[in-house]
């Protein structure tokens, strides 16, 4: 199946009892058994739920994987991956990444004896400088949040394989429509399903997709044992959202391209971070591993004044000032005080995340309205 057909049909069958074309919401906590241990594959909804099963199978198909697992949030999915490790193990991570990922790594798991190295991965060979006998996992995010750096998944996959390391990729910004890390050598692909996969800003969820049976079994054990599982209503909403993922992503990419070029030519805008520009340092890698460049953009205003950034954010209308991204509506954010506030200022600035940086999630509205909105807000500076 091609992608659009997968989004609508993969892993999904009409309900066998009624013929309902939409997957039912199995709003139940438990399941009747004929005899102890004699059941129809379902015992308790933390362990398995038919609505969740359909979603997990659909997500696996979209990522060209064999096994999908859903969690109550993206951080719940990250939590499960790091729980594969033991005290004393080490992780090599992207240095430009979502603030929540940095927080759970440094404030939660580091306390249990897991060490994290945050490095630039733009040159994959640099990773080998940090590999030692304790290294167990490489964690990459691409495009990175919020600086829009691109990491060569295929090259890092080769490094991971050479040293027999697990390799996980946060694919939230790209989605499976634009990029499939498992095809490029990753062992695990993780999503904040809250974002583009759900697509309508009405669900919080996370997911992991893998190909290896042993890895899938280990993650499923953690999923059940630790209990960070989503409810059937949320799974239903994501299944509904995914049916239009390919259509939405096409429009996000179209609008993102226009907004990126609009900002680049605007007299009050300084730097624009978007991998579709030929001047982007990782543009060729993005062309190689992505099908398009997405709808996420970061930019700064000339003078790099925090007050100017706040003025713009306070005067946008169609770009709503809010956490998150990937919904049909356009959002704007101030990473330094919102999504990345948990990262120390000195660490943020090492990767170029200044207090004046603005991040946009370009929605699927009429792009002329979005440009007019930005232009009016920038005129206040």
């Amino acid at each position: 199946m091609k992608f659009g057909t997968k989004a609508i049909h993969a892993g999904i069958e009409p309900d066998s009892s009624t013929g309902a074309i939409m997957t039912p919401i199995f709003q139940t906590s438990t399941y009747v058994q004929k005899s102890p241990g004699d059941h129809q594959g379902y015992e308790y909804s933390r362990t398995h739920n038919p609505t969740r099963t359909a979603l997990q199978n659909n997500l696996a198909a979209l990522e060209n994987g064999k096994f999908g697992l859903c969690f109550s949030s993206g951080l719940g999915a990250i939590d499960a991956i790091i729980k594969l490790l033991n005290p004393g193990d080490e992780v090599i991570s992207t240095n430009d990444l979502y603030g929540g990922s940095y927080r759970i790594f440094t404030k939660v798991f580091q306390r249990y004896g897991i060490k994290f190295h945050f490095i630039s991965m733009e040159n994959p060979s640099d990773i080998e400088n940090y590999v030692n006998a304790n290294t167990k996992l490489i964690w990459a995010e691409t495009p990175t949040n919020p600086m829009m750096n691109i990491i060569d998944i295929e090259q890092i996959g080769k490094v991971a394989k050479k040293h027999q390391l697990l390799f996980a990729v946060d694919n939230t910004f790209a989605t499976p429509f634009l990029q499939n890390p498992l095809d490029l050598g990753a062992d695990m692909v993780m999503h904040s399903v809250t974002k583009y996969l759900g697509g309508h800003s009405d669900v919080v969820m996370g997911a992991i997709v893998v190909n290896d049976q042993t890895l899938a079994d280990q993650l499923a054990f953690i999923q059940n044992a630790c209990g960070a599982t989503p409810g059937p209503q949320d799974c239903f909403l994501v299944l509904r959202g995914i049916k239009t993922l390919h259509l939405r992503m096409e429009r996000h990419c179209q609008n993102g391209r226009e907004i990126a070029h609009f900002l680049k030519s605007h007299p009050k805008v300084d730097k624009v971070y978007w991998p579709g520009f030929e001047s982007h340092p990782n543009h060729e890698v993005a062309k190689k591993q992505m099908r398009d460049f997405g709808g996420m953009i970061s930019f700064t205003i000339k003078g790099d004044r925090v007050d100017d950034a706040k003025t713009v954010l306070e005067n946008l209308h169609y770009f709503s000032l809010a956490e998150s991204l990937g919904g049909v509506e356009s959002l704007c954010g101030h990473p330094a005080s919102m999504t990345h506030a948990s990262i120390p200022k000195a660490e943020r600035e090492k990767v170029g995340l200044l207090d004046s940086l603005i991040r946009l999630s370009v929605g699927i509205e009429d792009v002329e309205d979005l440009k007019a909105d930005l232009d009016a807000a920038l005129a206040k500076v």
Side-chain angles (χ1 to χ4, degrees), residues 47-49 51-61 66-71 208-209 223 230 239:
T47 311
H48 297 293
N49 177 282
T51 315
R52 192 172 91 216
T53 298
L55 175 58
Q56 291 179 155
N57 291 340
N58 182 250
L59 289 170
K66 295 179 181 177
F67 309 101
L69 302 101
C70 288
F71 297 82
I208 304 169
V209 178
Q223 180 192 43
L239 280 167

Side-chain angles (χ1 to χ4, degrees), residues 123-144:
N123 184 353
S125 62
D126 291 345
I127 294 172
E128 300 200 60
N129 297 328
Y130 295 86
V131 175
N132 59 52
N134 296 322
T135 309
K136 296 295 187 293
L137 171 69
I138 298 175
W139 179 271
E141 187 181 285
T142 181
T144 62

Side-chain angles (χ1 to χ4, degrees), residues 1-10 61-62 64 177 246:
M1 288 185 283
K2 301 296 185 184
F3 190 92
T5 309
K6 280 185 185 180
I8 294 168
H9 294 288
L62 293 183
N64 298 330
F177 180 74
H246 53 303

Side-chain angles (χ1 to χ4, degrees), residues 147-148 150 256-266 269-287 292-294 296-299:
M147 302 309 299
M148 303 305 297
I150 303 296
R257 182 180 301 275
E258 286 213 36
I259 295 298
H261 284 278
F262 167 80
L263 290 171
K264 190 176 183 180
S265 63
H266 199 284
V269 172
D270 186 12
K271 296 176 182 176
V272 182
Y273 301 92
W274 180 69
F277 292 133
E278 291 186 5
S279 58
H280 189 287
N282 318 125
H283 176 69
E284 291 303 316
V285 177
K287 280 175 60 179
D292 207 329
F293 304 109
M296 296 301 300
I297 301 166
S298 294
F299 72 99

Side-chain angles (χ1 to χ4, degrees), residues 206-221:
I208 304 169
V209 178
V210 302
N211 274 321
D212 181 77
Q213 177 75 66
T214 300
L215 195 53
D217 290 344
Q218 291 172 329
L219 289 166
F221 174 82

